[in-house]
Amino acid sequence: MTMAKVDPYLNEDAGTMSPYEHGECFVLDDGMEADLDLGNYERFLERPLTKASAITSGQIYRAVFDKERRGDYLGKTVQMLPHVTDEICERIKALTRHQDTIAVVELGGTVGDIESDIFYAALRKLHYSEGRDAFCHVHVSVLMETAGGELKTKPTQQSVQELNKRGIMPDMLCLRLPKGINDISKSLKAKLGEACGYPTIFVSPTCSSVYAVPGIFDSQNVLDTILYPGVHEDMRRDTLGNPAPHILAPFSKIATGVRSAKMKITIVGKYLHRNAKGEAYDASDAYLSLRHALDHAAISIDSLTLPTLEWVDAEDVIDKKDYWLTRKDEPQAIILTGGFGSRAFDGFIQTALYALDKKIPILGICLGFQMMALALAHLSNMKDADTTERNPETLSPVIHIHHDSKEDDTKGGTLRRGLHLVTSVNPLMGNTIRTMKERFRHRYHLNPAFLSSFDPSVQWDGEVDDLPGVPTRLMVQGHPFFWGTQAHCELTSCPSHPSPYFVQLIKAIFNCNGIPSM
Ligand code: GLN
C-alpha cells in the first residue's frame, strides 16, 4: 500500500511556502520538500515515501510545458484535455505499478475550487480507464451542526452534486462529525444515500488523537469495502474477526495515552500564532512532526503518558526583559526549533544560555542547533560569533554557508536537503546514537575553522557523508542534557520507531526530577 497527496496549488513543492500559512514543510528521503500530509502518511505507513507521492499543479504544468518545448506532442495542439489530464493520470497510475498495490491518493482543496477542476477531470478519466473494480472515489465532507444541535446534510449534498457535475459518483462518503458526536442515525444515512447516489457511508468523529482514527474506521468495516477477495489477504481480519495486528497495534497505545503536566515540554519557535488570551500556540501546524515525535518518544518510555506542550514565541524572549528569569516557573525541558531568516534568532540564543546556566534539559533542532552553537561560541569568548544568514559581514562566521552551496537568489529547491548517513565519531554520544539515517533541510552549517576555539566541555559529533569534517551534533559535558542536531530528527520518527533524540530528552526530564529512567 502507498499514499500520495495531490495539491492543486501552482507551487512546484512546499519548499517556498510560509510555515505560518501552510504549516511545516515535510522533507522526504529523496529531498522532496513536501506538504505536511506526507508526514502523516509516513507516520501511519511507518515507512518512507518518495517524491512520486507529492504531486502539485506546478509540477504537472512544468512537465507539460517541457514536453511541448521538446516536441514530444508531435505537432498536436497541447490542451488541458487530454494532455494535462494524461500527465496527472500517468503520475497516479505510476504509484500502483506493482500489482495489488493500493494507492490512497488525497486530492487537496474542495470540489469547486478553480485550481482543482482539472484534477477531477483526471480522476473521471482514471475511473473510466481503470474500471470500477480498480478505482474507488471516497468523498470527504463535513456535517454541519446548527446552534440547536441539528446535523445539516445540505453542504454535503451540494458538494456531491458538484462532483456529479464533473462526472464523478462517489463510491464512499466519509463524514467528518462535529466534536462530541460519534455517529449519525440510520435515517440520516439513508437520506444522504438517496441524495448522493447510494455510496457506502462511514463517519469520522472528531478525536483527541489522530491515532484513534484507524480503529474507528475498522469498527465500521471500512477496509472490507475496499479490499478484493483473494488479494490483500495480509490486511484482512483473522478467523476471530480481529484486524490484522500490524494495522492497528502501533497506533492504539498512543491513542489511549493521557496528557500529563508531569511531563511538560517548552517549545521555542518563530512561527507561532496567538490565541484570544495572547498566548502563543502552533495554529498552523508549523511544528506538526515535532508534536508527533514527542508523543512517539513519550509513549515508548511510559506507555500511559503523553507530554503537555507549552509554546514560547522566540520574539517574546527578546522583547520581554529577562523573560526566562521573570517567569513564575522553570521549564522541565526546552526544544529550540528550526527556521529561516534572521528574525527572532536572539530569542533562541538567550534561551540556550538560560538552559545552560540553569541545567535545564534542552534539545536544539537545525536552526536550534546553530543558535546553541552561537550561544556556546559567545561563552567561549568569540564575542562577535554569528551566522552569515543574518550577518554576512561577521568576523567570526561560526555558522556559514558551505562554499559549494549556490549563493544565488533562487530560493526554491536550493537547500541542502534529504537523507544522509550520519556517523557518530564521539563515543560520548555514540553510546546512544551510532550510524543513523537522518533528514536535513538547511543552507548554513557549522564552520569547522572555529571548532578549536570552543570550551573543551563542548563535544562535537555526527559526521555526514557529504560534509566531511563538519560536525552536525553537539553536546555539553557536565550538563544533564544539552544536545543539538543539524538534522530534522522530528521527520523520521514514527510510532514504532521513535527518534532517539526525543527519547533521550524525555529520559533526561525523568533523571532531573529524580525519577529513574527506563
Ligand atoms: N536557516 C538555517 C539554515 O538554512 C536553519 C534551517 C532550518 O532550521 N531548517 O541553515
Side-chain angles (χ1 to χ4, degrees):
M1 174 167 164
T2 189
M3 298 183 81
K5 175 83 192 285
V6 177
D7 276 304
Y9 48 66
L10 288 169
N11 304 58
E12 202 158 313
D13 56 39
T16 53
M17 289 172 149
S18 159
Y20 265 131
E21 213 178 290
H22 237 270
E24 77 180 2
C25 167
F26 191 84
V27 186
L28 305 182
D29 282 355
D30 58 17
M32 177 75 191
E33 296 175 289
D35 185 270
L36 54 73
D37 283 326
L38 273 284
N40 286 323
Y41 305 164
E42 284 198 351
R43 286 186 282 271
F44 277 97
L45 293 174
E46 298 210 286
R47 61 179 164 74
L49 293 169
T50 69
K51 61 174 184 279
S53 289
I55 302 170
T56 70
S57 287
Q59 295 164 23
I60 300 287
Y61 290 125
R62 190 184 292 276
V64 170
F65 294 151
D66 287 348
K67 284 184 182 170
E68 184 276 328
R69 289 292 82 186
R70 279 202 307 269
D72 291 2
Y73 294 118
L74 305 173
K76 289 258 185 305
T77 308
V78 182
Q79 293 183 297
M80 299 298 276
L81 302 177
H83 300 106
V84 175
T85 44
D86 278 351
E87 189 66 41
I88 299 168
C89 291
E90 284 315 314
R91 283 170 195 239
I92 294 176
K93 278 199 293 198
L95 296 163
T96 55
R97 210 164 269 147
H98 303 290
Q99 232 193 340
D100 294 348
T101 301
I102 298 176
V104 177
V105 182
E106 177 180 358
L107 175 57
T110 307
V111 58
D113 288 349
I114 201 157
E115 294 95 345
S116 318
D117 265 352
I118 194 66
F119 290 98
Y120 287 102
L123 294 182
R124 182 181 60 191
K125 193 168 189 165
L126 271 180
H127 206 169
Y128 169 76
S129 66
E130 303 307 299
R132 266 201 165 267
D133 284 351
F135 186 95
C136 175
H137 190 108
V138 185
H139 182 57
V140 183
S141 177
V142 186
L143 279 197
M144 314 295 272
E145 189 182 17
T146 63
E150 191 195 351
L151 286 178
K152 286 291 183 196
T153 62
K154 269 284 179 283
T156 302
Q157 295 184 37
Q158 296 279 338
S159 67
V160 171
Q161 281 168 20
E162 286 297 319
L163 272 181
N164 294 163
K165 273 194 229 165
R166 289 160 179 80
I168 294 173
M169 293 282 281
D171 303 286
M172 297 173 89
L173 202 52
C174 172
L175 300 171
R176 298 284 306 268
L177 301 183
K179 214 171 175 172
I181 299 180
N182 292 327
D183 205 352
I184 59 169
S185 65
K186 274 197 175 131
S187 61
L188 206 60
K189 278 190 189 168
K191 181 174 154 187
L192 264 172
E194 289 274 356
C196 301
Y198 312 103
T200 304
I201 298 178
F202 62 104
V203 294
S204 181
T206 302
C207 307
S208 57
S209 168
V210 69
Y211 296 103
V213 175
I216 290 172
F217 286 173
D218 184 65
S219 68
Q220 299 171 74
N221 299 322
V222 170
L223 271 185
D224 300 352
T225 317
I226 301 166
L227 303 182
Y228 279 83
V231 283
H232 309 132
E233 287 307 329
D234 61 328
M235 295 172 91
R236 287 183 176 280
R237 288 167 190 284
D238 64 17
T239 42
L240 297 172
N242 299 315
H246 65 277
I247 295 182
L248 298 183
F251 314 123
S252 41
K253 239 168 84 176
I254 305 184
T256 49
V258 179
R259 300 226 169 260
S260 161
K262 284 200 189 113
M263 195 196 281
K264 188 167 166 191
I265 296 169
T266 303
I267 301 177
V268 180
K270 55 176 281 181
Y271 303 115
L272 297 169
H273 290 71
R274 304 267 167 189
N275 64 16
K277 286 192 229 152
E279 297 154 340
Y281 77 118
D282 181 22
S284 58
D285 286 342
Y287 304 98
L288 184 65
S289 293
L290 177 61
R291 280 155 39 200
H292 280 285
L294 284 167
D295 284 354
H296 303 160
I299 220 85
S300 76
I301 295 172
D302 172 345
S303 59
L304 298 173
T305 311
L306 295 171
T308 303
L309 306 183
E310 181 206 14
W311 300 93
V312 171
D313 190 326
E315 286 203 272
D316 282 350
V317 180
I318 303 171
D319 296 344
K320 298 184 182 161
K321 196 172 169 322
D322 293 332
Y323 173 85
W324 290 111
L325 297 175
T326 52
R327 273 168 56 115
K328 52 181 183 315
D329 56 342
E330 218 174 62
Q332 286 180 28
I334 301 175
I335 294 182
L336 297 180
T337 52
F340 292 84
S342 56
R343 186 178 61 77
F345 280 15
D346 282 329
F348 290 87
I349 296 175
Q350 285 173 27
T351 307
L353 290 170
Y354 165 76
L356 198 63
D357 185 43
K358 298 284 176 193
K359 297 218 176 324
I360 296 168
I362 182 167
L363 172 66
I365 300 170
C366 206
L367 178 72
F369 159 83
Q370 297 175 356
M371 296 301 111
M372 278 176 153
L374 291 186
L376 293 167
H378 293 156
L379 288 179
S380 307
N381 278 327
M382 290 171 261
K383 295 288 177 225
D384 59 343
D386 214 332
T387 164
T388 55
E389 184 166 10
R390 74 165 170 189
N391 181 8
E393 310 305 328
T394 175
L395 295 176
S396 302
V398 169
I399 306 294
H400 71 160
I401 200 160
H402 191 249
H403 54 80
D404 285 349
S405 300
K406 277 195 283 174
E407 217 160 347
D408 63 17
D409 288 339
T410 312
K411 290 278 186 287
T414 57
L415 296 174
R416 174 177 179 273
R417 61 203 194 281
L419 193 80
H420 290 279
L421 208 60
V422 184
T423 312
S424 191
V425 286
N426 184 340
L428 261 177
M429 294 175 92
N431 288 340
T432 17
I433 304 177
R434 284 172 230 282
T435 299
M436 263 174 65
K437 290 177 178 164
E438 305 208 64
R439 284 187 189 167
F440 290 82
R441 180 175 184 251
H442 62 121
R443 201 181 302 279
Y444 300 84
H445 61 72
L446 193 76
N447 183 348
F450 290 90
L451 286 181
S452 57
S453 309
F454 279 88
D455 186 89
S457 63
V458 184
Q459 304 283 312
W460 302 100
D461 192 21
E463 179 106 0
V464 190
D465 43 13
D466 69 332
L467 283 178
V470 178
T472 60
R473 297 177 190 148
L474 67 79
M475 70 173 286
V476 170
Q477 262 184 305
H479 187 284
F481 188 94
F482 193 95
W483 279 34
T485 171
Q486 184 64 75
H488 274 288
C489 48
E490 76 278 26
L491 303 182
T492 36
S493 170
C494 61
S496 308
H497 304 284
S499 159
Y501 291 96
F502 300 102
V503 172
Q504 294 303 325
L505 177 75
I506 291 171
K507 284 188 177 176
I509 299 179
F510 287 140
N511 286 339
C512 286
N513 291 339
I515 305 164
S517 71
M518 279 143 267

